[in-house]
Amino acid sequence: MHKLHRYWFALFLPALLLELVPAQPGDRASIPSQIPGHDAILLGTDWYPEQWPEARWEEDLRLMEAANIKVVRIAEFAWSRMEPSEGRYDMDWLERAITAGAKHHIASVLGTPTAAPPAWLTANHPETLRVQPDGQRVTHGNRAHGSVTSPLYREYCRRIAAEMAHRFGHNPNVVGWQIDNEYGYASMSYDDLTRKLFQEWLQKKYQTLDNLNQNWTTEYWSQTYDSWREIPIPVGGHNPGLMLEWKRFVTHTWNDYQMNQIDQIRQYAEPRQFITGNFMGFWDGFDHYIITEPLTFASWDDYVGTGHVDPDRNGMTHDLTRGFKRENFWVIETQPGAVNWHSVNNFLNKGEVRAMAWQAIGHGADEVGYWQWRSALNGQEQYHGTLVGSDGTPVPLYTEVQQLGREFSAVESELRGTRVVSEVALLNSYDSRWAIDLQRHTSRYDQMALLESYYRVLNRLAQSVDVVSPYAPLGGYALVVAPDLNVLPQDLADHLLEYVRNGGDLVLGPRSGMKDQYNALLPQRQPGYLVDALQGRVEQYYALEADVPVAGTWGQGRASVWAEQLQAASPESQILLRYGKSNGWLDDQPAAITCAYGKGRITYIGAVLDDKLMDAAAEWMVQQSGVKPALGRVPEGVQVSRRVGSGKTVFFLINFAAEDRHVDLAHPMKLLLANRTAASVVLPRYGVEVLREGP
Ligand code: GLA
């Protein structure tokens, strides 16, 4: 079994066993991202006291408190201030900032500053700067310039993390830690040392070169390796086995990098202080299921960039982040109106920032933090949105955020002990994403778009969807959908088959079940180890030049981008869709098939379907699996989410449509924001209501 997968199996084994006696959804007692003694949901901001005279802090904190801000993240870029010269630490100012915050009932989260090593460090030790794929060392003055593999850089990171943890690990006003910042965008140093570490990592994993050569089929183009030292770092055009392992090595390296700091914090800090990292949604620089494993909970930085919030894509990304640890999370950064780094840095509309924040909470966030409080007068991000202007007084958006803070405080007790519980899971596999993106076969194949096409329809019908690793415990889900599970080794197939055998409903999308853990083609047709259960297989795949007509149980429509010619091998395997006239090969051939297996069902959809067909397919899926909407029918444009636990059920309604929307409820509920009981709600554009089930 692949090492990483063995690791995951060991991790999930206790949970898999627990599945036999399912717990009541939402009733696990403690929520790691809710801090005892603090509000269950928090409004936050990212504050850089080191950039301002100390005399100014009081006014900043007064304005924060007036906006109901309860938490600040600080220090994640303040290395040169905390260690102005080698080994001379100055943390007194930071302690004063933390204490000043506490006087305004604001708790602190400390970021370790390792995304921005100071100039004395990189000047004295240029080897701590990373080397780019072209062999050039980066220069000082940006960020994420440290070399993740440099032992010396790691040593400096260890020391600053230890120093901070020693100083603040018992500080009552420090509630937690963030490691680094966005984990250096997974940048690697392309130097001899990294190459050696990669080779050693491969040796540990494969044990023998024979094993490696065989699994990578290195006879191909004379790649056979006779020594570990011959193996290159792939920089493009390399063997698929090598390229996938490099991605896993990147994950391993960044995990090691964070553990170097986490170990120090755990050693000196009280266990009540959480440890998180700020991730970037679907960005796939490393395997987030592995990286988030040692963290208390996951956080993410939710930026829209150009345009406006796409509620499905944003909701799906919250669900992804929640799925990393299958727990509530924080949105530790989000944009106060606009960013400074996209093509058109337009401002979000009035009300949109508030709607976005409530959407985060509805999907399981326990904190929403605005990056940043106030722009430094100079530095790279002068144009970015803030809550106060360069003159230190509130910008127009401040009032909207202040309202949000008031609302958070008003309803927070209703959300204590609640989390999102879903009947539907979408599977997200980094191995598969990498394997497909390394060999797209058609530049038009967009995995995110495909995932989103399933999410949109399933979320509309179920009103609650989890996005989880394929190795997650699946027993609690009525429906599990894997849009393109390309890497599907035997152990994963067994995991999925067990789910179906016990009554689960599994739907696979195109390109599923093609590769093993070495990114080698399986010696079976797709979906590989699931062919017998499906009683069918893929005869041939086609990258499409033009759309192809399809018709069947789900109506008529078109397939685009990718089409697989399926075969139903027995009468048990039912054909749901067939292709119409196309390239001759596809004409009248099956495009989607389904088969009962054990107490459940397995379905294979071999094409990228148009929106109308996806609607019908999703209707069929929820009917087959018995999935019910969390709340009930709502008008188009209204997003629903639900949190449950501690005896409470709370719904969130947000109108992202341009016009007012009228929502009828099945029975009267307490409207927590309007503070009244009613059986219907009228929501203007960006309008939000939070509903409590029961009296
Ligand atoms: C990222 C970083 C922040 C800041 C913001 C700006 O998320 O973590 O430090 O640069 O982007 O949008």
Side-chain angles (χ1 to χ4, degrees), residues 217-340:
T217 321
T218 52
E219 286 85 359
Y220 204 84
W221 290 356
S222 262
Q223 293 163 43
T224 310
Y225 297 111
D226 302 309
S227 153
W228 297 100
R229 277 181 296 131
E230 294 167 358
I231 302 173
I233 293 178
V235 284
H238 276 97
N239 181 300
L242 171 68
M243 291 199 288
L244 189 61
E245 290 298 13
W246 172 253
K247 295 279 188 191
R248 292 179 180 138
F249 175 70
V250 172
T251 300
H252 159 83
T253 304
W254 281 95
N255 190 38
D256 230 38
Y257 172 84
Q258 67 167 351
M259 288 315 298
N260 179 48
Q261 298 180 42
I262 290 173
D263 286 347
Q264 298 306 309
I265 295 170
R266 293 267 185 247
Q267 185 177 335
Y268 296 113
E270 291 172 11
R272 68 170 171 85
Q273 293 183 343
F274 65 75
I275 304 182
T276 192
N278 56 336
F279 300 101
M280 296 183 289
F282 278 93
W283 170 81
D284 66 351
F286 41 62
D287 186 325
H288 288 60
Y289 298 109
I290 293 173
I291 296 285
T292 56
E293 199 276 326
L295 302 174
T296 318
F297 58 84
S299 297
W300 81 286
D301 299 342
D302 183 3
Y303 292 104
V304 174
T306 299
H308 293 273
V309 63
D310 174 333
D312 284 313
R313 181 162 280 222
N314 209 47
M316 181 171 83
T317 318
H318 290 312
D319 297 343
L320 170 89
T321 310
R322 191 179 69 246
F324 289 156
K325 290 186 73 71
R326 291 178 285 111
E327 263 303 352
N328 292 10
F329 59 96
W330 280 23
V331 175
I332 206 160
E333 293 182 24
T334 187
Q335 71 191 62
V339 299
N340 68 315

Side-chain angles (χ1 to χ4, degrees), residues 81 142 310 329 378 417 542 565:
R81 192 63 196 277
N142 206 318
D310 174 333
F329 59 96
N378 217 323
Y542 304 91
Q565 173 189 347

Side-chain angles (χ1 to χ4, degrees), residues 48 73 76-77 143 181-182 185 278 301 303 333 339-341 371 381 384:
Y48 297 95
R73 187 195 62 190
E76 84 277 10
F77 293 113
R143 59 180 170 181
N181 191 71
E182 295 180 338
Y185 319 110
N278 56 336
D301 299 342
Y303 292 104
E333 293 182 24
V339 299
N340 68 315
W341 43 262
W371 196 97
E381 297 175 293
H384 201 282

Side-chain angles (χ1 to χ4, degrees), residues 350-367:
K350 198 167 185 184
E352 196 174 0
V353 165
R354 171 175 171 263
M356 214 177 138
W358 275 114
Q359 191 196 23
I361 301 293
H363 283 252
D366 287 329
E367 190 252 14

Side-chain angles (χ1 to χ4, degrees), residues 396-626:
L397 179 70
Y398 175 93
T399 326
E400 186 171 316
V401 171
Q402 187 174 43
Q403 178 192 345
L404 188 62
R406 234 184 351 257
E407 292 169 345
F408 277 14
S409 296
V411 307
E412 62 88 18
S413 62
E414 301 283 355
L415 295 168
R416 181 166 301 286
T418 65
R419 41 166 66 83
V420 175
V421 177
S422 308
E423 289 185 303
V424 178
L426 278 178
L427 302 186
N428 169 58
S429 150
Y430 289 93
D431 280 356
S432 291
R433 283 182 63 194
W434 293 329
I436 292 176
D437 281 345
L438 288 167
Q439 297 176 87
R440 282 197 185 193
H441 204 60
T442 161
S443 57
R444 295 166 64 212
Y445 199 90
D446 179 344
Q447 296 187 70
M448 281 299 301
L450 184 64
L451 188 71
E452 211 178 311
S453 71
Y454 279 89
Y455 182 89
R456 278 181 198 281
V457 286
L458 289 169
N459 187 50
R460 187 170 49 72
L461 295 173
Q463 299 174 335
S464 190
V465 173
D466 286 355
V467 179
V468 294
S469 157
Y471 285 91
L474 300 175
Y477 296 113
L479 173 65
V480 170
V481 180
D484 47 10
L485 196 54
N486 193 243
V487 175
L488 217 169
Q490 181 79 65
D491 63 335
L492 180 53
D494 291 347
H495 179 55
L496 297 177
L497 286 173
E498 193 200 353
Y499 163 72
V500 180
R501 217 177 289 119
N502 291 334
D505 207 327
L506 174 68
V507 177
L508 297 164
R511 302 182 82 152
S512 291
M514 186 186 205
K515 300 283 193 74
D516 72 6
Q517 63 268 44
Y518 305 105
N519 209 4
L521 294 171
L522 289 171
Q524 298 94 326
R525 300 282 185 85
Q526 292 166 249
Y529 300 112
L530 302 179
V531 165
D532 287 349
L534 181 65
Q535 298 278 302
R537 67 178 201 175
V538 174
E539 288 294 303
Q540 179 65 59
Y541 51 82
Y542 304 91
L544 296 180
E545 300 158 86
D547 288 1
V548 173
V550 270
T553 314
W554 302 332
Q556 292 195 341
R558 308 194 77 75
S560 61
V561 181
W562 192 270
E564 289 170 343
Q565 173 189 347
L566 306 185
Q567 180 219 57
S570 79
E572 277 86 73
S573 184
Q574 185 197 335
I575 297 169
L576 296 169
L577 279 184
R578 282 183 189 275
Y579 299 103
K581 213 163 170 40
S582 163
N583 61 0
W585 303 109
L586 283 168
D587 299 5
D588 204 33
Q589 296 301 307
I593 58 179
T594 188
C595 188
Y597 176 74
K599 294 187 202 144
R601 167 168 298 279
I602 175 164
T603 302
Y604 193 101
I605 303 173
V608 178
L609 304 179
D610 68 31
D611 290 353
K612 211 167 126 253
L613 273 174
M614 279 304 291
D615 275 348
E619 294 273 3
W620 180 88
M621 287 179 218
V622 299
Q623 252 169 38
Q624 284 287 328
S625 55

Side-chain angles (χ1 to χ4, degrees), residues 79-91 118 120-121 124-125 155-160 163-164:
W79 196 338
S80 61
R81 192 63 196 277
M82 288 190 279
E83 190 181 0
S85 59
E86 175 146 8
R88 188 168 70 79
Y89 295 101
D90 176 7
M91 310 242 176
W120 59 258
L121 197 165
N124 292 345
H125 308 287
E155 176 55 20
Y156 281 105
C157 293
R158 190 191 63 75
R159 281 192 225 155
I160 188 78
E163 203 66 35
M164 288 177 79

